[in-house]
Amino acid sequence: MPDVAPGPLAVGLTTALHRAGLPATPDRSVGLARALQLVPPTDRAALYWACRIALVTDRAQLPVFDAVFSAVFDGLLDPADSRGDPTAPPAIGSEPRIRPVPHEPTLERPPGTGSGEADVSLPGSEGEGEESAREVLLAAASTEERLRHTSFAELTPDELLGVRRVVRTLVLATPHRRSRRVRPTRHGGERLDLRRTVRSAQRTGGDPARLIAARRRTAPRRLVLLCDVSGSMEAYTRVYLSLLQGAVAGARAEAFVFSTGLTRLTRQLSVRNPDDALARAGAASSEWAGGTRLAAAVGRFVADHGRRGLARGAVVVVLSDGWALDDPDDVAAAMARLRRLAHRIVWVNPRKAAPGYAPLVGGMAAALPYVDTFVSGHSLAALEEVVAAVAEEGR
């Protein structure tokens, strides 16, 4: 077992994983450190499983995780690089230092790592040793970084499958709003809870011996996603549907798709199994790969669902390139009605990333004055802007 304290070990390993392309966050680092403090691992296998449970969220991440884990605990990378020491050598991933691989036959190899190297193929693993492992690690990190910035329309089917798994894990968290409901509090309430105070006074013969204060509750704003599944959006639709499925399952969002009509898919996408959810969504809608009636779709959403409460005070995300068969004046009128109901409108247009793109005419130009945030969302890195825009407090 490496003699490293839980905190630095967790920070160092998380940093190395993050630089290799895995979504390792500070929260997961803290969780791993707490787990190692509560149940100190007795051998390398126990340490491996503790780290894997705390830091891996998808089976597709296992090859990179195993490669980084082996590199760190075989001595190819130093987990102490992230301890904050200003005199420390360059950080893990930027200038990894090569060290001789210690031969410790008594150490138990972690499950899933084979002979101690990564599960991914290591060319010449016996002869080239740590140099080959380092090259594989850097190659894996480079591939992850390239996928983060590649447009969804340019991915191969295998790459697209991996990206969709990552997209499903994105957390779309809306800002909180203050509810009309109140809850009693002992620490400086905003108002006197008259009903609870009178009820308490009944137990003391009508004497209000105790004044009960109350504070208004807070709750996350509703999230509504409207996804354009017309022919012009086909290259992005499969990834966006994974985003919708993750939002419905994790954030209780409302999901709709539109083309020449509008279809509500919340119930179909709420199934825990992503593949089943997408299959049920595909069977529920006949709107795929047709033309776009943007004004009609937004107008129908407002009339059938928005006014009844779905859009009131909600964060509404529209995923569309704005190419519509409708008159731009009709698009503007529909967006104006939606704007009066929603808290914020985030528009995700993958065409925005194209060089020289400018929404000067058509449906996109008509809708833009009613949009709070306009982002591209054409790649994994660009979807981070969508996550930030959804979480923004706004007006």
Side-chain angles (χ1 to χ4, degrees):
M1 277 293 300
D3 186 17
V4 183
L9 184 149
V11 172
L13 182 59
T14 305
T15 302
L17 291 170
H18 179 74
R19 287 174 178 161
L22 264 62
T25 63
D27 290 343
R28 293 190 178 278
S29 177
V30 172
L32 174 59
R34 288 176 177 171
L36 296 178
Q37 287 177 338
L38 290 174
V39 185
T42 56
D43 53 27
R44 178 162 168 162
L47 176 63
Y48 170 85
W49 282 110
C51 296
R52 174 169 164 172
I53 292 171
L55 301 176
V56 175
T57 58
D58 193 284
R59 292 185 61 84
Q61 301 169 1
L62 285 177
V64 177
F65 171 82
D66 288 345
V68 173
F69 185 91
S70 295
V72 169
F73 293 103
D74 284 340
L76 303 182
L77 296 177
D78 185 1
D81 281 345
S82 298
R83 289 176 181 172
D85 182 0
T87 62
I92 293 174
S94 59
E95 295 181 12
R97 293 166 289 164
I98 302 174
R99 298 177 175 177
V101 180
H103 298 284
E104 299 179 4
T106 57
L107 284 179
E108 183 181 352
R109 295 298 184 187
T113 57
S115 62
E117 300 292 343
D119 279 345
V120 293
S121 300
L122 298 181
S125 57
E126 293 184 359
E128 300 176 5
E130 64 273 15
E131 183 64 26
S132 298
R134 174 175 173 269
E135 291 176 357
V136 170
L137 175 61
L138 295 179
S142 176
T143 301
E144 294 288 335
E145 187 65 16
R146 182 183 64 80
L147 290 180
R148 270 177 46 79
H149 296 280
T150 302
S151 172
F152 299 140
E154 300 173 1
L155 296 176
T156 65
D158 289 341
E159 292 173 338
L160 193 61
L161 189 62
V163 165
R164 289 172 60 186
R165 292 195 187 102
V166 177
V167 168
R168 279 197 293 267
T169 65
L170 294 178
V171 178
L172 295 178
T174 57
H176 281 64
R177 62 175 176 81
R178 301 182 71 188
S179 169
R180 292 182 180 179
R181 296 184 177 182
V182 299
R183 61 181 175 85
T185 177
R186 296 176 180 273
H187 308 288
E190 301 170 335
R191 63 176 69 175
L192 176 66
D193 191 332
L194 188 58
R195 187 176 60 179
R196 287 190 173 89
T197 300
V198 171
R199 190 181 303 164
S200 175
Q202 292 175 352
R203 293 193 288 269
T204 56
D207 183 13
R210 176 170 165 254
L211 300 179
I212 301 177
R215 183 187 298 275
R216 293 178 65 177
R217 297 174 184 267
T218 60
R221 293 187 178 275
R222 189 190 306 275
L223 176 63
V224 179
L225 300 109
L226 307 177
C227 182
D228 182 351
V229 294
S230 63
S232 61
M233 287 286 291
E234 192 171 8
Y236 305 93
T237 299
R238 286 170 292 181
V239 177
Y240 288 163
L241 282 178
S242 296
L243 183 69
L244 265 62
Q245 196 272 328
V248 170
R252 298 184 179 181
E254 292 286 344
F256 296 81
V257 296
F258 65 91
S259 178
T260 54
L262 180 76
T263 304
R264 187 178 185 178
L265 291 182
T266 303
R267 181 170 56 82
Q268 288 80 3
L269 293 177
S270 63
V271 177
R272 188 175 296 274
N273 186 307
D275 295 329
D276 289 347
L278 296 182
R280 295 175 58 167
S285 175
S286 58
E287 307 294 333
W288 313 103
T292 306
R293 292 289 184 185
L294 182 58
V298 174
R300 183 178 170 189
F301 167 73
V302 172
D304 294 349
H305 306 280
R307 288 176 180 168
R308 297 181 180 180
L310 283 190
R312 293 185 185 278
V315 176
V316 178
V317 180
V318 182
L319 303 106
S320 173
D321 56 12
W323 292 356
L325 301 173
D326 309 272
D327 189 300
D329 291 339
D330 294 338
V331 174
M335 289 298 298
R337 290 194 292 272
L338 177 61
R339 188 71 191 86
R340 287 192 288 270
L341 294 173
H343 172 69
R344 297 185 71 249
I345 298 178
V346 178
W347 195 291
V348 182
N349 185 345
R351 312 288 178 191
K352 182 175 183 290
Y357 173 81
L360 301 178
V361 296
M364 191 69 256
L368 208 52
Y370 305 97
V371 172
D372 294 283
T373 305
F374 186 46
V375 294
S376 66
H378 68 290
S379 65
L380 270 178
L383 282 183
E384 293 175 359
E385 297 181 46
V386 179
V387 174
V390 169
E392 192 175 333
E393 287 288 345
R395 57 178 178 170

